[in-house]
């Protein structure tokens, strides 16, 4: 059976990945493509059942706004491919086809009541009124010929429309966010009723299919891969080993910047996987030497990346003398990494599994990326099916530059020691709590400030630790975790009492955006 695909055209919306994820959760494979992808390229994608236009930050009538041509709609009509526009996509369709869009005097943002005017096809199973999530400053004023309004809000007369003949639909609200209570139902109706999808995609056959594809691609060639112990690189390594066996060589570089006991835990974990070739490199002194006197965050990243390249390249050459030439570089790249890279025009191969660094010059290896079509939650499902334990599957994402970007300012052995101990306390307390699987990342940041305190009736002037904990689905956006005060108090008390050099703990309550998850 041909694989069914829904294409999500990206117009710059912050929820584009969420749309794609929701589609996959409903059992249909989805791919994100840029709005300006040539029709010839879309033609090559097999089994296209429908196309979704994402939201976006622009106004359709502004100069240089992302648009599609009328030819695009003709192409879809000829192939009987339905279209669903969301937010910006909802406005774009009438704008291109002869309707009108205008700026609102007052933006509509947040939960809104949708009045459903037609409960056929895409709104099948909805009530007369539904709670939806709006975020727009423009709205559709007039529909093109052949279109009809099927929903409105008090502030948006055309909140949803359809052209049932050409199977074109639009919703001003965001069906992909949980705040739209029947959002998944609307999306499911589009996939099953409008597009006729059978919703058969899932992880069940994916492992076997991917393993066979790798085997055909790589053949008897050797593969070298940098691993970090995280879920992405570990799952990728297991899949590669399943496909090529002893021709896979995994390299773990201990950069001396890892969390407490982490290097040994990673080593022990990989030994249990029964891979034939695991190579460990202790390079902590080299990384610390390179970071001496460096305070700028970007320079830290460059130093760590350059050092990693030199060490990885040296190890690869050593192994080639013993085992023969490597032809492939394995990576744990997942779908959001690949899409973001393409969207920014950064097509250079990257060692995602460790440092997000470019492939060393002269290292003419071909890439093999087993997880390139998966999201993080899907990688975890595959890991579970491959027999990985929860300690690996739910291991929190960790930045390539490691603790270096959690020490604001110069990185020293003394600061690393302080940060490791504080971070270990946070991990212990979170793991004991009910929050352990809902938190995307939790960690300590060592700040370059000192504060006055009183400990044991004596005045202290010591360092400050910031605690950061966020909830997220894919790190594209994140909210600070609303951890119980008792847990935060216990974390702060333990850090101040158990970690020498710290007398104050603060909690970071900013979301992403505007802040990033990491401080550097």
């Amino acid at each position: 059976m041909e694989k069914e695909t829904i294409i999500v055209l990206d117009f710059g919306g912050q929820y584009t990945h969420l749309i794609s994820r929701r589609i996959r959760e409903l059992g249909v494979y989805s791919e994100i493509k840029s709005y300006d992808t040539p029709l010839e390229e879309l033609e090559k994608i097999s089994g296209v059942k429908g196309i979704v236009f994402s939201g976006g930050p622009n106004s359709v009538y502004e100069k240089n706004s992302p648009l599609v041509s009328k030819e695009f709609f003709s192409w879809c009509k000829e192939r009987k491919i339905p279209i669903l526009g969301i937010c910006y996509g909802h406005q774009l369709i009438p704008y291109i086809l002869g309707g009108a869009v205008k700026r609102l005097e007052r933006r509509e943002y947040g939960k809104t009541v949708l009045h459903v005017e037609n409960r056929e096809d895409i709104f099948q199973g909805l009530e007369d009124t539904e709670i939806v999530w709006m975020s727009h400053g423009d709205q559709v004023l007039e529909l093109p010929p052949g279109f009809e309004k099927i929903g409105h809000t008090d502030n948006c007369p055309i909140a949803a429309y359809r052209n049932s003949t050409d199977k074109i639909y639009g919703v001003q609200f965001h069906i992909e966010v949980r705040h739209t209570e029947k959002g998944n139902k609307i999306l499911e109706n589009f996939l099953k009723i409008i597009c006729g999808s059978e919703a058969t995609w899932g992880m069940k056959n994916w492992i076997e299919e991917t393993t066979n594809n790798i085997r055909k691609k790589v053949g008897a060639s050797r593969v070298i891969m940098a691993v970090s112990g995280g879920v992405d690189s570990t799952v990728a390594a297991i899949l590669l080993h399943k496909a090529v066996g002893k021709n896979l060589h995994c390299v773990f570089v201990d950069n001396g910047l890892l969390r407490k006991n982490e290097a040994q835990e990673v080593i022990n974990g990989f030994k249990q996987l029964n891979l034939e070739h695991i190579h460990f490199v202790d390079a902590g002194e080299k990384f610390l030497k390179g970071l001496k006197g460096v305070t700028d965050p970007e320079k830290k990243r460059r130093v760590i990346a350059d050092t990693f390249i030199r060490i990885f390249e040296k190890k690869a050459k050593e192994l080639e003398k013993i085992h023969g030439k490597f032809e492939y570089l394995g990576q744990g790249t997942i779908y959001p990494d690949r899409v973001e890279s393409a969207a920014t025009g950064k097509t250079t191969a990257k060692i995602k599994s460790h440092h997000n660094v470019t492939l060393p010059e002269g290292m003419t290896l071909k890439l093999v990326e087993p997880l390139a079509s998966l999201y993080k939650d899907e990688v975890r499902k595959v890991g579970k099916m491959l027999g990985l334990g929860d300690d690996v599957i739910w291991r929190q994402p960790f930045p390539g530059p490691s603790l270096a970007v959690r020490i604001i300012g110069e990185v020293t052995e003394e600061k690393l020691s302080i940060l490791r101990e504080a971070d270990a306390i946070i991990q212990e307390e979170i793991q004991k709590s009910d929050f352990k699987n809902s938190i995307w990342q939790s960690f300590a940041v060592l700040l370059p400030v000192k504060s006055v305190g009183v400990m044991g009736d004596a005045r202290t002037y010591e360092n400050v630790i910031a605690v950061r904990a966020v909830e997220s689905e894919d790190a594209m956006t994140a909210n600070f975790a609303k951890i119980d005060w008792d847990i935060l108090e216990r974390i702060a008390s333990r850090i101040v009492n158990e970690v020498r050099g710290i007398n104050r703990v603060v909690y970071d309550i900013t979301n992403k955006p505007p802040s990033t998850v990491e401080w550097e």
Side-chain angles (χ1 to χ4, degrees), residues 198-215:
E198 295 183 14
T200 55
W201 190 79
M203 296 292 101
K204 192 172 182 181
N205 301 318
W206 184 90
I207 295 173
E208 187 177 346
E209 180 186 328
T210 300
T211 304
N212 289 335
N213 289 341
I214 294 169
R215 201 173 284 128

Side-chain angles (χ1 to χ4, degrees), residues 415-487:
K415 290 179 182 177
L416 282 166
S417 179
I418 291 171
L419 184 58
R420 282 192 184 104
E421 294 302 322
D423 190 76
I425 289 169
I426 293 170
Q427 303 314 320
E428 280 179 33
E429 293 299 332
I430 293 297
Q431 285 303 307
K432 289 190 295 187
S433 75
D434 294 335
F435 290 86
K436 66 178 181 180
N437 285 343
S438 65
I439 287 179
W440 178 265
Q441 277 178 280
S442 56
F443 54 87
V445 181
L446 183 60
L447 304 184
V449 294
K450 290 191 172 185
S451 72
V452 174
V454 179
M455 298 175 74
D457 294 327
R459 179 184 182 277
T460 61
Y461 189 57
E462 302 287 3
N463 297 293
V464 179
I465 283 285
V467 177
R468 179 73 158 148
V470 298
E471 295 174 339
S472 179
E473 290 190 338
D474 50 22
M476 304 297 291
T477 61
N479 294 326
F480 78 89
K482 282 71 172 177
I483 297 174
D484 289 347
W485 289 116
D486 289 345
I487 297 172

Side-chain angles (χ1 to χ4, degrees), residues 177 214 271 332 519:
V177 302
I214 294 169
K271 284 179 177 176
W519 278 48

Side-chain angles (χ1 to χ4, degrees), residues 491-502:
I491 287 171
S493 177
R494 285 192 59 192
I495 289 174
V496 169
N497 283 289
E498 297 175 29
V499 182
R500 187 175 293 277
I502 301 296

Side-chain angles (χ1 to χ4, degrees), residues 70 73 91-101 142-145 147:
K70 284 187 178 180
F73 294 94
Q91 298 161 14
L92 175 66
I93 293 167
Y95 180 76
I96 297 295
L97 297 179
V101 177
E142 184 181 330
L143 290 170
F147 285 70

Side-chain angles (χ1 to χ4, degrees), residues 114-217:
L114 172 73
H115 298 275
V116 179
E117 300 177 31
N118 186 312
R119 291 194 287 169
E120 296 173 353
D121 49 52
I122 199 163
F123 282 168
Q124 185 174 300
L126 270 63
E127 303 299 327
D128 289 340
T129 59
E130 294 286 353
I131 299 298
V132 300
W133 184 265
M134 290 285 197
S135 178
H136 65 111
D138 297 327
Q139 68 178 18
V140 177
L141 181 64
E142 184 181 330
L143 290 170
F147 285 70
E148 63 175 316
K149 180 177 66 157
I150 58 173
H152 70 274
T153 70
D154 291 345
N155 198 43
C156 184
I158 305 176
Y161 58 72
R162 72 173 182 176
N163 178 328
S164 53
T165 303
D166 294 339
K167 293 190 174 182
I168 302 175
Y169 295 78
V171 289
Q172 180 60 70
F173 46 92
H174 287 277
I175 60 174
E176 69 275 22
V177 302
R178 299 299 188 198
H179 303 302
T180 297
E181 294 179 359
K182 296 279 181 66
N184 252 24
K185 178 61 179 172
I186 296 168
L187 187 55
E188 184 179 28
N189 287 342
F190 176 71
L191 298 176
K192 293 182 178 179
I193 297 173
I194 311 301
C195 299
S197 171
E198 295 183 14
T200 55
W201 190 79
M203 296 292 101
K204 192 172 182 181
N205 301 318
W206 184 90
I207 295 173
E208 187 177 346
E209 180 186 328
T210 300
T211 304
N212 289 335
N213 289 341
I214 294 169
R215 201 173 284 128
K216 288 176 188 174
K217 178 178 180 177

